[in-house]
Amino acid sequence: MTGRQDPLWRAVLLLGVSWRRVVLAVLAGAGGLGSAVALAAVSAWLIARASQMPPVMELSIAAVAVRTFGISRGLLRYVERLVSHDVALRGMATLREQIYRRLAVGRTEPVMALRRGDLLARVGADVDAVGDVVVRGLLPAAVAAVVSLGSVVLLGVFLPTAGLALAGCLVLAGVVAPWWSVRAARTTERLTAHARVEMSAVTLALLDGAGELTVQGRTPDLRRELARVEADLARATDTGARPAALAAAAGPLATGLAVLAALALAVPATTQGLLTPVELAVVVLTPLAAFEAVSLMPAAGVQVLRSRQAARRIMSLLDEVAQEPTATQPAPMPPAAPGRGLVVRGLACGWPGQEPLLTGLDLDLSTGRTVAVVGPSGAGKTTLLLTLAGLLPAVGGTLTLDGDPPADLPREVAASRVAMTAEDAHVFDTTILENLRVGRGDVTPDEALDALTSVGLGRWLAGLPQGLGTVLGADAARISGGERRRLLLARALLCPAPLLLVDEPTEHLDTGGEAVLRSLLDRTLTPDRGVLVVTHRLAGLEGADEVILLDRTGTVRARGRHSELVARDHDGVAPYRDAWLAEVQES
């Protein structure tokens, strides 16, 4: 695999690191560890020379040097940590920006095919892993190389054979041990990957279907299966632990061998007059500090392995979104009359490579018009919104936005005309105000307050000590499902696009949710915008200009205004009225 093809190298290039800062970090790190080696050497000389009781002035320079190296060791290490983490954190921010930009202008099918957790992992933990390779992988390797070379040269000045012996032991600790650690980590990953997947699947089955499994009497079987998978995982972990233990032992073994080699070589050299007793102490004790430079190399090798796996996931996603659409995708759709908003004729939509979920839909959505699409779960309502928003290609029929096929429009142009708020839209771990600014970056606190009040969150906001500055936690973990839904609706209202697509705006809401839905559809909240709402309930649809009822097969069963559909009886069949009466009886 060449450097250009290596996913880790490609991802590191996207970090946009400042190589001047990298060099500064390497120099600071090498200076810090070099001070440790020099401190050991000078201390050994000072102790050995002091035992000979020379004039005090002969020791003064060495004593000052000990203090200097002791101070510079900590100071330079701090500088190295400061610069290296600055490089890594800046690189992570740059890489995330690059990913967001490429995802924003690239093909949407690969993104939509990912589970949300997988996508968040790639732009979250995987990006952190790529950034960590700078601090925990590449920089430690560079520092270890510089300090090891300097230590070998230093020892070689006193006794060349001792320098060569130290070089061999450093190779054992800094090259062989990391290679063995990486091999152990790769073995563990390969052996445990399948077992972890099986364990997750069985555990979720036990948790999610506890009631059904208990009734069916299958719980004991699944618990035995879980125990078997756990045993497989333990055996796989133990198998990978054996080479890891050997790799961990290589460092201390190399250190001991270096000291023994120094003794074996330096003692005869001293008896032969090639070394003084003071120099003997330096030659024997200096290797103890030199190995500090390579002690992090096994962990650095494992970090490079993990970072390469993370980079592979990131780059595979970026490569997929950058690919041109295949020839099997639908041809460009014919244009409709300009200036008419979204115009849909005979639309069929579904996920790529699967059967259409919804077929034969005609729909018009323009500014000042409200439409509600209602149907049971699985009827293709969310898929319809993704198709109308341009996130999924249409399977059949025609779809135009102001006279142009959405596929022919630049992504930023289409996004400025149509905005979509999905039912599971992400809420970021930041303040309420910043979450609302996802819809529009220049939202003021007053505008945010008005939007939250309009969706029924005014009293909730007033009860928060920090108000708009309240941090919501990871994916709104600190608020209820209803508050989360209203917050997403407020974000949608602040979006400047003239056409608004909303997925299940009243999900998880109490009875006040119907009032919010009515305000959306009777244009109280959106007087100058076109709004399309998909929902599985009929309550609150009275103000819509048109209601479209879907059945479970994604086929249109009825359409018209709410009042007309409730009163309509077509050939003795009234699907909308029947659904309405059933819902009224349930409530």
Side-chain angles (χ1 to χ4, degrees), residues 140-233:
V143 170
V146 173
V147 174
S148 297
L149 179 61
S151 301
V152 170
V153 171
L154 173 64
L155 210 61
V157 170
F158 291 96
L159 187 63
T161 54
L164 292 176
L166 176 61
C169 293
L170 287 173
V171 169
L172 174 62
V175 177
V176 177
W179 172 79
W180 207 267
S181 294
V182 171
R183 179 181 175 183
R186 186 181 292 113
T187 300
T188 302
E189 182 68 23
R190 176 175 54 83
L191 294 176
T192 60
H194 179 67
R196 287 199 303 268
V197 172
E198 279 197 76
M199 177 174 287
S200 298
V202 176
T203 303
L204 287 175
L206 282 170
L207 294 176
D208 294 341
E212 295 87 346
L213 292 171
T214 301
V215 172
Q216 297 172 3
R218 296 179 54 198
T219 301
D221 293 337
L222 280 180
R223 292 181 63 181
R224 284 192 292 271
E225 177 68 13
L226 181 61
R228 183 192 63 80
V229 174
E230 186 176 9
D232 291 343
L233 181 61

Side-chain angles (χ1 to χ4, degrees), residues 107-124:
R107 296 172 58 235
T108 57
E109 295 92 326
V111 180
M112 300 304 300
L114 290 175
R115 293 173 297 179
R116 189 176 67 158
D118 191 4
L119 180 60
L120 291 176
R122 298 196 192 202
V123 299

